[in-house]
Amino acid sequence: MIKYDIENEKVYIGLNSLFYFLEIYNLEIDLKNRQVKGNFDDKNIDIKFNDNDSFIMDNSIYIDINSLKEKLNFKVADFDFSLLTLTLVPNFSLPYEIREKSKIERLRLDEEKLEEEIDVNMTSKIFSPGFLKINWSKSDLKNSNYNFEYEYGTQFLYGDLYLSGELYPKNKIVYGNLTYSNFFKNNDLILGNFSMITPHFINLDSEIIGISLKEEDTYMTRDGGITTIKGEAENAQVIELYREFTLIDYIYPKSKYFEFKIFDGILNSDYILKIYYNDGRIEEKKVFSLTDMDILEKGKNRTSIQVGKNSNNGNPQGISHIYYGLTDNLTVGLGAMNLISSNEKKYRFLENDIIFNTQHKTFPTLITYRNFFETKEKENSYNLIIDQKLKSYSLKFLQEKYSPFVFNENKIKEYTSISLGKSFNKNSFEIGFNDKKYFEDLKDYESKNIYLSWYTSIFSPLSFSIKMEKDIYRNNNYSVFYPSISYSGIFSIILDGEIGKEREDKYYTQNYNLRLTKRDIEIIKNKLFLDIGIYARYSNINEKFRYGITFNLKLDDYVHLDFTSSTNINEDRNRNTINSIKMTKLLNLNSPLDKADNNSSVSNSWITGKVYLDKNGNHIFDNNDIPLPNVEILVDNRSFITDKNGKYVANGISGNKISTVTVNRKTIDPTYKNTDGPLKIKSKNSSILHLDIPIQPISIISGNIILTEDFTEKQFIQNLSLINILLEKDNEVVAETDPEFDGMYFFEDVLPGKYTIKFNYLGYENIDFSSNSIEIEVKNSDEGDYFEGLDTEMIKKEKEEDKN
C-alpha cells in the first residue's frame, strides 16, 4: 500500500503490507508508539518513527520512502510516477532468498555427491575373453598382394592388455602393452610398447619396449619456432587441429599415435584437437604443453620413469624425472636421461627444472627454466620461457641455447623469440620477433624476422587468418605472406598459401594448397556411407598444378567394408588411379554370435542387458516380468534401442571413464519410470558389464495442510509460504515441495516403496502440525495409483511452560 502526499510531494509506504510482501513476519509493529521491534537478519531491530516521517491510517503505519531507505537499511527505495512502480533493493537477505539459496546449496551438494559416487564399477579381472578385430585389406586391386591384420583387447592380470599384429604376409606381433591405469598418483603403469617423452632436440624415431610410469596425455613442444604436437587416439578416423577458432590442419592417423608439426613460429596460441572416432564419438581435447606444466602445491610431487629399448634396433633408452613443490608458487625438478638418438649418438643428461608462477591476479607470470647437463662432455644447454599475462594481452619470451655436442646433431645453436598477443571477440592478433642461429655444413648461419598475424572466426564456422613475415637479417630483401581460409561444418575445407617476394625479383613466388573432405554421407539409411575428399596443389615456381579425388564407400552390417578410390593427376596431365578395399569384423569373444559395431575399438567397453517391467519390484528379471522392446537407452547421450526381447547392447564406450546410463522416458509409457534412475558406471577397457534395467509404474501422493481456529486466514497464508515438505525413503530425501496457497501439496513420479512425508516450518512463529510426519507405502502394481487424504493440521506449538 502506497499513499501520496500531493501538497508536500512525498511518498509513504504501508509497513504492514510491505512486511507481508517481503515475508518479514518476525518484526512487531507497535501502532501506538509508531515503533518496529524484533530480531531480523541476526540483528535486534528497535526503530521509532515520528510525525515528520510517518502517520497512521487503516490500522497501519505509513512511513516516508526516504525514511524507509535510511532507517530500515535499503540500498535503493524509489517510486516512478510515470510507470507507477516501486523499486526496492535491500542491504539484507530476504527470507525467500535464504530459502532459494539453501535449495541451490542442497542441489549443489547433492550433485557433488553424485559426481563422487559411482553406482557400478566394472572390475578388473585376471582374465576375460575380450574383443578381437580382424582386418583384411588390399591397397591396390590390380595387385595380388594383401594384408591380414588383427587387434585384440582384454582384461589380463587385472590390467588392460592390447595387442596388434599381422597374420599375413608375416605372422608377428607389431605392438602390444599391458596397462594399469592410475597405478601411482594418476600415473599409468605400462608394460610393453609405449612412446617415450624425450627432450625435443633428441629424436629416437621409434617406439620403446619396456616399462613406463607416467601421466598419459596429448602434449606439445616448441623447438626453434617449430611446434610439435603428439598424442594417442586409438580407433580415430580423422583428427582436426584448431588454433584459436581456426582449423589449421587435419590427418587420417595410420596408428594410435599421431603427430602434427607447425612451422610458422607462432608462440602465443592455444591448440584444440577434435578427434572423430570410427565408432561415431567426437572428442575435443586441449593440448597440454610440456613447457607450461602446472605448478605443484607445496609438498606435492610428481614422478615419471620410462625405461626400455627401441623396437626397431634394440638401443637401450631411459628417463626418470621427479618434480616437487617447494612452495605453492615454486616447483623444482630433477631428471636423468640415458638416450641414443636415431643417428646412434649417445646422450647422458642431468636435467634441472625451475618452474615459478607469481600467481598475481592482474599480471600472472610463469617462468620455466630447464638446464640439460651432458655428463660426459661437461656441457650445458638450456631452455627458458617467460610467459606473462598483461590484462588481456599475452607476452612470451623464449630462449633456447645448445652446446656443441647437441647442435652438431640438431643444427640449432640458439633460438630467441619474443611475441605479444591479444584475443578478443573471436579475433586474435600477434606480433613477434624470431632470431635463429644454426650450424650446418660446418658453417654458422643466422636468420632474423618479424611477423604479424591475425586470426578471426567472426563469421564462424568460416575462419580467416593471415600472417606477414619480414626477413630483417638480409637487409629487408624478403617478405612472405601466409593467407588461410578454413571451414568446419557440413564439410571441412582448408585453403592456405604462401606468397613471397625478393626485392630484386619481378614476380612473387606462390604456393597454394586446397583440401576438402566430407565424411559419412548417408547413401542408404544405416547401411551405406560415403567419404569424399578433394585436394589440389599449385606452385608457380615450376608451373606445377596437381589435384586428386579420393572417396570411401563404407558398408557396415555384420562386416564393415571400405572401398577407396584415389585419382592423382600430375603436371603432365597423367592420371593414376588406385582402388583399394578393406574388410573389418569385430568379435565379442564372450558371445561371438552377438552382433557388434565393427567400428568399435577393442579397447572400448560394453554394457548389455534387458529393459523390463519389474512386476514384483525385486530388481531381478523373473518369469512374470515383461521385456520392453523399442526402449531407448542413453549412454552419455549415445542412443541404443532394445530389440523385441527387451535386450540392448551399448558398445563403443570409452574405457576408464565414468559414463551415465539412463532411459529416455519418452520411449516408455508415461506412467512408467526407470526404477534406479540415472546410473554412473565406471568403465574398464575391453570389459563387458551386464546391467538389467527395471521399469516400474509411478504413483502420485497428495494431501492438504488444513487451517485451524488457531490462525486467521491471513496468518495461515503467511505461514504456508515458510513451509517445506519432504518425501523421504530409507532416511534419504528423494523429493521436496512447497504447499499451494490453499495448503494442498503433491508429489509426482513416486516409485513403489515405503516413504515418510515430513512437514517443516522454517519461520520464527510457534507453528506446529497435528502430524509432523506421515508414513505411506506405495505398493507395486501393473499401473500407478493416486494416494490422497494425507492431511495434517496447522496448529500452534505448545510452549514449554504450558507443558509443565
Side-chain angles (χ1 to χ4, degrees), residues 137-143 145 549-551 562-567 576-582:
S137 62
K138 288 193 72 171
S139 57
D140 189 349
L141 295 182
K142 298 176 183 177
N143 198 315
N145 296 329
I549 298 175
T550 65
F551 66 89
D562 277 353
F563 301 95
T564 304
S565 181
S566 176
T567 300
N576 181 28
T577 300
I578 298 176
N579 299 308
S580 62
I581 185 173
K582 181 180 179 181

Side-chain angles (χ1 to χ4, degrees), residues 157-172:
L157 298 178
Y158 303 105
D160 306 328
L161 178 64
Y162 174 85
L163 299 172
S164 65
E166 294 180 357
L167 297 173
Y168 183 85
K170 293 181 180 180
N171 188 353
K172 63 179 180 179

Side-chain angles (χ1 to χ4, degrees), residues 144-159:
S144 60
N145 296 329
Y146 66 89
N147 292 90
F148 196 29
E149 301 167 330
Y150 72 90
E151 290 182 274
Y152 179 62
T154 189
Q155 289 287 300
F156 182 68
L157 298 178
Y158 303 105

Side-chain angles (χ1 to χ4, degrees), residues 489-502:
I490 301 173
F491 53 87
S492 295
I493 185 171
I494 300 176
L495 173 62
D496 53 37
E498 178 183 346
I499 306 169
K501 183 177 185 298
E502 296 271 3

Side-chain angles (χ1 to χ4, degrees), residues 84-96:
L84 297 180
T85 57
L86 175 68
T87 302
L88 297 174
V89 181
N91 281 319
F92 50 85
S93 296
L94 295 170
Y96 90 92

Side-chain angles (χ1 to χ4, degrees), residues 190 194-198 208 210-214 216 304-308 317-321 336 339:
I190 303 174
F194 60 87
S195 179
M196 181 172 279
I197 299 180
T198 62
I208 305 299
I211 300 174
S212 172
L213 182 69
K214 70 180 182 71
E216 291 292 335
S304 64
I305 300 172
Q306 294 183 297
V307 179
Q317 312 285 2
I319 291 179
S320 61
H321 218 122
L339 303 170

Side-chain angles (χ1 to χ4, degrees), residues 325-340:
L326 288 179
T327 69
D328 289 340
N329 297 67
L330 180 63
T331 295
V332 296
L334 179 64
M337 283 168 267
N338 188 343
L339 303 170
I340 302 176

Side-chain angles (χ1 to χ4, degrees), residues 493-700:
I493 185 171
I494 300 176
L495 173 62
D496 53 37
E498 178 183 346
I499 306 169
K501 183 177 185 298
E502 296 271 3
R503 177 178 292 178
E504 292 80 6
D505 293 337
K506 296 181 179 180
Y507 65 91
Y508 285 91
T509 59
Q510 300 178 58
N511 296 283
Y512 300 101
N513 290 280
L514 171 67
R515 287 183 293 167
L516 182 147
T517 182
K518 171 63 177 173
R519 294 184 296 273
D520 294 330
I521 304 171
E522 193 172 51
I523 307 300
I524 301 176
K525 187 173 179 62
N526 297 327
K527 292 290 184 182
L528 186 63
F529 299 87
L530 171 68
D531 289 353
I532 187 168
I534 300 173
Y535 66 90
R537 295 190 297 269
Y538 169 78
S539 173
N540 71 340
I541 298 175
N542 298 313
E543 297 182 351
K544 293 180 178 179
F545 182 65
R546 299 187 181 189
Y547 61 93
I549 298 175
T550 65
F551 66 89
N552 296 343
L553 280 174
K554 296 180 289 185
L555 177 63
D556 190 17
D557 196 351
Y558 288 96
V559 175
H560 179 82
L561 295 178
D562 277 353
F563 301 95
T564 304
S565 181
S566 176
T567 300
N568 293 282
I569 305 174
N570 62 18
E571 65 273 17
D572 299 324
R573 298 186 180 276
N574 295 322
R575 295 173 180 267
N576 181 28
T577 300
I578 298 176
N579 299 308
S580 62
I581 185 173
K582 181 180 179 181
M583 291 190 294
T584 302
K585 175 62 179 176
L586 178 67
L587 293 172
N588 171 11
L589 298 183
N590 294 271
S591 182
L593 297 180
D594 278 359
K595 185 178 177 180
D597 180 0
N598 295 298
N599 285 318
S600 182
S601 166
V602 297
S603 295
N604 289 154
S605 58
W606 289 31
I607 302 175
T608 181
K610 281 185 178 291
V611 179
Y612 64 97
L613 182 61
D614 191 7
K615 300 190 73 173
N616 58 8
N618 64 352
H619 278 63
I620 298 173
F621 181 68
D622 302 314
N623 292 331
N624 293 329
D625 292 334
I626 303 173
L628 300 177
N630 300 318
V631 177
E632 184 180 31
I633 305 300
L634 298 175
V635 183
D636 290 341
N637 293 322
R638 291 184 62 206
S639 175
F640 305 92
I641 308 296
T642 60
D643 61 17
K644 62 181 181 180
N645 298 315
K647 183 179 179 180
Y648 72 95
V649 176
N651 52 29
I653 301 167
S654 297
N656 297 323
K657 62 168 287 190
I658 298 175
S659 299
T660 301
V661 179
T662 189
V663 172
N664 182 358
R665 284 194 65 182
K666 294 181 180 179
T667 61
I668 58 177
D669 191 290
T671 62
Y672 291 166
K673 186 180 179 182
N674 176 10
T675 303
D676 300 317
L679 295 175
K680 289 189 177 293
I681 311 294
K682 179 64 181 294
S683 60
K684 292 287 294 182
N685 284 348
S686 309
S687 295
I688 294 180
L689 173 68
H690 184 84
L691 180 69
D692 289 338
I693 301 177
I695 303 293
Q696 289 181 282
I698 55 173
S699 298
I700 298 176

